[in-house]
Amino acid sequence: MATVAPLRPAAPSLRAQAYANFQQQILQANIRPGQFISQRELMQLLDMPLGAVRELIPRLEAEGLLRTVPQRGLQIAHVDLKLINNAFQLRLVLEREAAARFCTSVSDADLAAIDDAHRRIVERARSGRIDDRLLEDATTVDWGLHDLMVDALGNELISEAYRINSLRVRLIKLESSMLSPDALLPAMEEHLWFIEALRQRDTAEVARRLGHHIESAHRRVLGLPRPPLPRSA
């Protein structure tokens, strides 16, 4: 009897791969807010054929990540006060619901692993010099928790809206300030404070602490002082 070969997952389309490459270029700070770039330059940067890049452009325009400027070419989204305020407001709306649901569904073992990952970043920061590798690892741990909570909703529409908005927030942080040595420890301390509420399964406190954390990030990119970390409700 002939054996049936297992089905392989379909390879991503060239347009999907081009979009993923565009996301990666933002994460690696190779694409800057307000930057002008030609189609051919974008093709080279993404290492994709021109046809895939041309198909990608309407999607990026619809998501507000890029616009076509007559006589000048393509412009990456420019960061202004309206974009900053809108992006952080949307982030709060999406993540507050996700955090409340995550609080009741995540396992104790997973929360312990999340807590441990943050504490290892703090330990490395306190025991030696904060270098680029540590900042990169800290950013991965930081965003990893937010991504995990949203994806745990199991709602593809929400996850997609969140991903697009995350790219806007990344562009905003490139324009303002990336996670710096001075900001690393306070950011990790806020996360640990938030994780404490998750481990207590206190949904009201989880929502409050998440709101404080996102407002703190919002104020930082505006150049305003970080609000003090409350210790009690």
Side-chain angles (χ1 to χ4, degrees), residues 39-76:
Q39 286 190 17
R40 292 200 174 274
E41 288 170 336
L42 189 58
M43 176 186 71
Q44 294 170 357
L45 186 63
L46 302 183
D47 192 24
M48 297 299 296
L50 187 57
V53 170
R54 284 176 173 165
E55 289 185 6
L56 172 66
I57 288 170
R59 177 178 179 179
L60 297 178
E61 289 181 317
E63 294 177 357
L65 297 171
L66 175 149
R67 69 187 184 110
T68 300
V69 181
Q71 310 302 321
R72 299 201 63 181
L74 306 172
Q75 185 182 29
I76 306 302

